[in-house]
Amino acid sequence: INVTYEKSCITIETPNITATPICAGSTATLTLNNKQDGVTYTLGGTPIFTDGTTHTVNPDRTTTYTITATSTNSCDANQEETANVTVTVNAIPTLSPSVTVNSICEGETKTITVNTNATSIKWYKNETLIEDQTTASLSITTAGTYKVVVSNASGCSKEMSFPVANAFGSDITPTITGSASVQSGATNIT
């Protein structure tokens, strides 16, 4: 009796790859939603998805990636399937200081101003949100660490901090130099 075992072949599916938009400077994750056993997936000739269903890329601009699926056990020896996936890279809003404040005296009012093209602006003092402050300028009357967080319609954000000290801080101890003496009959200390 002759027994012949036939190894089943693979019909390669077109890779179903997804990716979410990112902000400039971030990494993106490609996700394979229909991984097949016995199929090799490559990007630019380099195998990917070897240990799972995700692969990280670092585009500096909106980029389209082509993933190729092949198998040595394909039902069609020449079969390969490709899929394109585009990673959208959104710009981070611009942010730069225009008017800064280093210190403030009691009773003073000063203004911090930034330049930005953002659509949303939030100000914080010592990490606490300052309510109803949504413009590029912030008037301050006390010392503290002020921070502005700006974001755009794509959800990308940028932040900048402004430490503002007391001009005459409560933790400063006056230092008196020179000598003091009292003259007979005098009421003044010199």
Side-chain angles (χ1 to χ4, degrees):
I1 299 174
N2 294 324
V3 178
T4 302
Y5 294 94
E6 292 186 2
K7 186 177 180 181
S8 60
C9 62
I10 297 173
T11 300
I12 303 173
E13 299 176 2
T14 301
N16 180 355
I17 313 289
T18 54
T20 56
I22 62 170
C23 298
S26 301
T27 59
T29 299
L30 308 182
T31 301
L32 174 61
N33 300 297
N34 60 337
K35 185 174 181 178
Q36 293 177 272
D37 291 337
V39 174
T40 299
Y41 302 89
T42 58
L43 174 60
T46 301
I48 60 174
F49 304 127
T50 55
D51 297 320
T53 58
T54 60
H55 178 71
T56 301
V57 291
N58 300 279
D60 58 4
R61 62 180 62 86
T62 296
T63 303
T64 297
Y65 297 92
T66 300
I67 288 80
T68 301
T70 59
S71 176
T72 56
N73 192 36
S74 172
C75 296
D76 179 349
N78 297 316
Q79 184 189 15
E80 68 174 30
E81 298 293 333
T82 61
N84 294 328
V85 59
T86 299
V87 176
T88 300
V89 179
N90 295 307
I92 295 174
T94 59
L95 177 63
S96 62
S98 176
V99 178
T100 60
V101 176
N102 295 318
S103 62
I104 192 168
C105 293
E106 184 177 351
E108 274 191 311
T109 298
K110 291 187 175 182
T111 301
I112 302 171
T113 303
V114 296
N115 295 318
T116 182
N117 63 353
T119 55
S120 172
I121 301 174
K122 294 181 179 180
W123 289 92
Y124 297 79
K125 179 184 178 184
N126 299 330
E127 298 301 327
T128 299
L129 177 67
I130 304 173
E131 299 290 345
D132 301 322
Q133 297 296 322
T134 58
T135 66
S137 294
L138 176 70
S139 295
I140 65 172
T141 57
T142 57
T145 299
Y146 293 88
K147 180 175 72 174
V148 62
V149 179
V150 301
S151 57
N152 56 25
S154 299
C156 299
S157 63
K158 192 172 185 178
E159 64 182 55
M160 183 175 291
S161 294
F162 302 88
V164 179
N166 282 309
F168 298 96
S170 58
D171 59 341
I172 298 176
T173 302
T175 301
I176 300 174
T177 59
S179 60
S181 62
V182 179
Q183 297 179 352
S184 178
T187 58
N188 294 327
I189 298 177
T190 62

Coordinates of all heavy atoms in Angstrom, one line a residue, residues 112 123-126 130 138-148 160-164:
I112 N 2.3 88.0 29.4 CA 3.1 87.0 28.6 C 2.4 86.8 27.3 O 1.2 86.6 27.3 CB 3.2 85.6 29.4 CG1 3.9 85.8 30.7 CG2 4.0 84.6 28.5 CD1 3.8 84.5 31.6
W123 N -3.9 78.0 29.0 CA -2.8 78.5 29.9 C -3.0 77.8 31.2 O -4.1 77.5 31.7 CB -2.9 80.0 30.1 CG -2.5 80.8 28.9 CD1 -3.3 81.3 28.0 CD2 -1.2 81.3 28.6 NE1 -2.6 82.0 27.0 CE2 -1.3 82.0 27.4 CE3 0.0 81.2 29.2 CZ2 -0.2 82.6 26.8 CZ3 1.1 81.8 28.6 CH2 1.0 82.5 27.4
Y124 N -1.8 77.5 31.9 CA -1.8 76.9 33.2 C -0.9 77.7 34.1 O 0.1 78.3 33.7 CB -1.2 75.4 33.1 CG -2.1 74.5 32.2 CD1 -2.0 74.6 30.8 CD2 -2.9 73.6 32.8 CE1 -2.8 73.7 30.1 CE2 -3.7 72.7 32.1 CZ -3.7 72.8 30.7 OH -4.4 72.0 29.9
K125 N -1.2 77.6 35.4 CA -0.3 78.2 36.4 C 0.0 77.0 37.4 O -0.9 76.5 38.0 CB -0.9 79.4 37.1 CG 0.0 79.9 38.2 CD -0.6 81.0 39.0 CE 0.4 81.5 40.1 NZ -0.3 82.6 41.0
N126 N 1.3 76.7 37.5 CA 1.7 75.6 38.4 C 0.8 74.3 38.1 O 0.4 73.6 39.0 CB 1.5 76.0 39.9 CG 2.4 77.2 40.3 OD1 3.4 77.4 39.7 ND2 1.9 78.0 41.2
I130 N -5.9 77.6 33.9 CA -6.5 78.9 34.1 C -7.7 79.0 33.3 O -7.7 79.0 32.0 CB -5.5 80.0 33.8 CG1 -4.2 79.8 34.6 CG2 -6.1 81.4 34.1 CD1 -3.1 80.8 34.2
L138 N -1.5 86.4 28.1 CA -2.0 86.2 29.5 C -1.4 87.2 30.4 O -0.2 87.5 30.5 CB -1.5 84.8 29.9 CG -1.8 84.4 31.4 CD1 -3.3 84.2 31.5 CD2 -1.0 83.2 31.8
S139 N -2.4 87.9 31.1 CA -2.0 88.9 32.1 C -1.8 88.2 33.4 O -2.6 87.4 33.8 CB -3.1 90.0 32.3 OG -3.2 90.7 31.1
I140 N -0.7 88.5 34.1 CA -0.4 87.8 35.4 C -0.2 88.9 36.5 O 0.3 90.0 36.2 CB 0.8 86.9 35.3 CG1 2.1 87.7 35.0 CG2 0.5 85.8 34.2 CD1 3.3 86.8 35.1
T141 N -0.4 88.5 37.7 CA -0.2 89.4 38.8 C 0.6 88.8 39.9 O 1.0 89.5 40.9 CB -1.6 89.9 39.4 OG1 -2.3 88.7 39.8 CG2 -2.4 90.7 38.4
T142 N 0.9 87.5 39.8 CA 1.6 86.8 40.8 C 2.7 85.9 40.2 O 2.6 85.6 39.0 CB 0.7 85.9 41.7 OG1 0.0 85.0 40.9 CG2 -0.3 86.8 42.5
A143 N 3.7 85.5 41.0 CA 4.7 84.7 40.5 C 4.2 83.2 40.4 O 3.2 82.9 40.9 CB 5.9 84.7 41.5
G144 N 5.0 82.4 39.7 CA 4.6 81.0 39.5 C 5.2 80.5 38.2 O 5.8 81.3 37.5
T145 N 4.9 79.2 37.9 CA 5.3 78.7 36.6 C 4.1 78.6 35.7 O 3.2 77.9 36.0 CB 5.9 77.3 36.8 OG1 7.1 77.3 37.7 CG2 6.3 76.7 35.5
Y146 N 4.2 79.4 34.7 CA 3.1 79.5 33.7 C 3.4 78.7 32.5 O 4.6 78.6 32.1 CB 2.8 81.0 33.3 CG 2.3 81.8 34.4 CD1 3.2 82.4 35.3 CD2 0.9 81.9 34.7 CE1 2.7 83.2 36.4 CE2 0.5 82.7 35.7 CZ 1.4 83.3 36.6 OH 0.9 84.1 37.6
K147 N 2.4 78.0 32.0 CA 2.6 77.2 30.8 C 1.5 77.4 29.8 O 0.3 77.5 30.2 CB 2.7 75.7 31.2 CG 2.9 74.7 30.1 CD 3.0 73.3 30.6 CE 1.7 72.7 31.1 NZ 1.8 71.3 31.4
V148 N 1.9 77.4 28.5 CA 0.9 77.5 27.5 C 0.9 76.2 26.7 O 2.0 75.7 26.3 CB 1.1 78.7 26.6 CG1 2.4 78.7 25.9 CG2 -0.1 78.9 25.6
M160 N 5.0 75.3 26.1 CA 6.1 76.2 26.5 C 5.9 76.7 27.9 O 4.7 77.0 28.2 CB 6.3 77.3 25.5 CG 7.5 78.2 25.8 SD 7.7 79.4 24.4 CE 8.1 78.4 23.1
S161 N 6.9 76.7 28.7 CA 6.8 77.1 30.1 C 7.5 78.4 30.3 O 8.5 78.8 29.7 CB 7.3 76.1 31.1 OG 6.6 74.9 31.0
F162 N 7.0 79.2 31.3 CA 7.5 80.5 31.6 C 7.6 80.6 33.2 O 6.6 81.0 33.8 CB 6.6 81.7 31.1 CG 6.4 81.6 29.6 CD1 5.4 80.9 29.1 CD2 7.3 82.3 28.8 CE1 5.2 80.8 27.7 CE2 7.1 82.3 27.4 CZ 6.0 81.5 26.9
P163 N 8.8 80.3 33.8 CA 8.9 80.5 35.2 C 9.0 82.0 35.5 O 9.8 82.7 35.0 CB 10.2 79.8 35.5 CG 10.6 79.0 34.3 CD 9.9 79.7 33.2
V164 N 8.2 82.5 36.5 CA 8.1 83.9 36.9 C 8.4 83.9 38.3 O 7.6 83.4 39.1 CB 6.8 84.5 36.5 CG1 6.8 86.0 37.0 CG2 6.5 84.4 35.0

